[in-house]
Amino acid sequence: MPQTLAAIPRMPAFDHQPRRYTGPSREEVLAARSRYANPALFTFYREPLMIVEGKMQYLFDETGRRYLDLFAGIVTVSCGHCHPKVVARVREQTETLQHTTTIYLHPGMPRLAEKLASKMPPGLDVTYFVNSGSEANDLAVTMARLYTGNTDVIAVRNGYHGGSPSAMGLTSHHTWKLPTLQGPYVHHALCPEPYRSSLGGTPEQIAAASAADIGELIRYSTPGRIAAFIAEPIQGVGGVTSAAPNYFREAYRIAREYGGLCIADEVQTGFGRTGEQYWGFQNFGVVPDIVTMAKGIGNGVPLAAVTTRREIAEVLAQRLHFNTFGGNPVSMAAGLAVMEVIEEDGLQRNAKVLGRRLRDGLERLAGEHRLVGDVRGMGLMLGVELVADRATRAPATVETLQVLEEARSMGILLGKGGLAGNVLRIKPPMCITAEDVDFALDVLDRAFTAAER
Ligand SMILES: Cc1ncc(COP(=O)(O)O)c(C=O)c1O
């Protein structure tokens, strides 16, 4: 049963009055959605939540009830819902020029490309803008194949790279793979994350053996040459999983030995979210050949990008290649505003400091709740794996749903992931405060207690 009102921890004060909602009722929206939307679309919670307004780290339902958003529109709202600067820039651009495509010059696109280059390691300075993470990964793989002349791609088990046919082939969860033709010539190497690895040993040994598996896979399952190795620095949908620091250096070395380019999928880990670094790959001491981005770059505006070296990018120029909305002025204005806000509002530092506070608190809760099997992640990209039994690590899938319900009843929205859906994903807008973190920990403590009963 959800907590009683008397037991609900107090949400930090916030100076924003949501507008009075006058649209169709929640029931009407639900009925219309059930009738007219594709049935594949799913909602969280037994009673689907309707959200009609957002402000910074908070969301509001149609009754005006406020929620602390710890999932950020699936790790997309980097600066905060309706951040005033992003909204102002988007509005200004929408009123001036919304769309022409890249067949004409406009300052927005090269400005954002230059800004991205300024954040990248030297040489990674040419960007192609698209609209979604799936598109970005499709394009990255296409470029890698053209550049290397090879076809096979190595991805990592438990990874998620999108839902387009080609990105679905890269994705490695049967739950996200429709039983139809998907991007072929993809092979999935062992996941280096220690908690569920079938390999024994220390995290470093598991990382080394998992990297070695890439070489095995190439020798046994490909012609011996590959186009690319693609991986998320920290797997997001997979349940905030990552490897010991020795994994990526070795994985990249092996991929390159067999002719492959290394693609870092920064769709979730980019733009300061991991706290210490602007890009996730920087935490692991490697430099990719291609970087794909989406989600946080737009703070909610559909925007994605592929950054690489000029000689790799040039392979697309051998034919016409075009993307109608890629680089459109409104998305570019949003992207530039987002990158400025991350600097001006100190969001990467916030991710580092508050991510530490949150992680320390979660580790304390792990000591008090048998439901918590593992706490992991960096900055404001954290995961809490819930288990029915710590010894067997049996996934606590039902309890995870209950924790989500309990947290919602106390005003907190969480994400979940992992193949068994038993990992809480905590990835809030990077503008959250220390008071929000303490409130979240209080709520989680009570939610765990309720789910353990
Ligand atoms: C790491 C990663 N790559 C790619 C994608 C696909 O992005 P999109 O949903 O914008 O196509 C996602 C989406 O969740 C993701 O998490």
Side-chain angles (χ1 to χ4, degrees), residues 169-247:
L170 302 171
T171 290
S172 169
H173 267 186
H174 74 277
T175 45
W176 295 109
K177 284 172 162 300
L178 288 165
T180 181
L181 187 70
Q182 314 166 17
Y185 298 101
V186 178
H187 316 272
H188 293 98
L190 290 176
C191 175
E193 205 279 325
Y195 192 70
R196 293 212 171 270
S197 176
S198 55
L199 304 169
T202 63
E204 289 72 23
Q205 287 166 337
I206 290 170
S210 304
D213 183 56
I214 296 169
E216 292 291 284
L217 205 48
I218 295 171
R219 285 190 292 275
Y220 281 108
S221 306
T222 79
R225 302 291 292 166
I226 59 165
F229 167 71
I230 182 168
E232 301 156 84
I234 300 175
Q235 294 176 328
V237 174
V240 196
T241 49
S242 59
N246 51 319
Y247 176 74

Side-chain angles (χ1 to χ4, degrees), residues 195-196 362-375 385-394 452:
Y195 192 70
R196 293 212 171 270
L362 291 170
E363 277 165 7
R364 182 174 46 74
L365 292 183
E368 295 163 8
H369 293 278
R370 59 183 149 73
L371 188 58
V372 178
D374 195 28
V375 173
E385 176 143 5
L386 302 185
V387 290
D389 178 336
R390 278 187 172 171
T392 63
R393 301 187 174 179
E452 279 169 340

Side-chain angles (χ1 to χ4, degrees), residues 74-75 131-137 160-164 167 171 232 234-237 265-269 292 294-295 303-304 425:
I74 316 202
V75 211
N131 314 291
S132 71
S134 304
E135 265 188 288
N137 285 328
Y160 184 88
H161 299 286
S164 64
T171 290
E232 301 156 84
I234 300 175
Q235 294 176 328
V237 174
D265 180 335
E266 291 280 347
V267 167
Q268 295 204 17
T269 46
T292 58
K295 292 186 182 274
L303 169 59
R425 292 166 66 199

Side-chain angles (χ1 to χ4, degrees), residues 110-127 271 278-279 282 293 307 336 339-340 343:
R111 276 182 68 204
L112 181 55
E114 186 179 1
K115 183 81 182 164
L116 283 172
S118 76
K119 296 287 184 189
M120 290 282 172
L124 288 168
D125 54 8
V126 174
T127 296
F271 299 92
Y278 202 80
W279 304 111
Q282 292 171 317
M293 299 152 249
T307 298
L336 266 171
M339 291 185 75
E340 287 171 20
E343 287 167 7

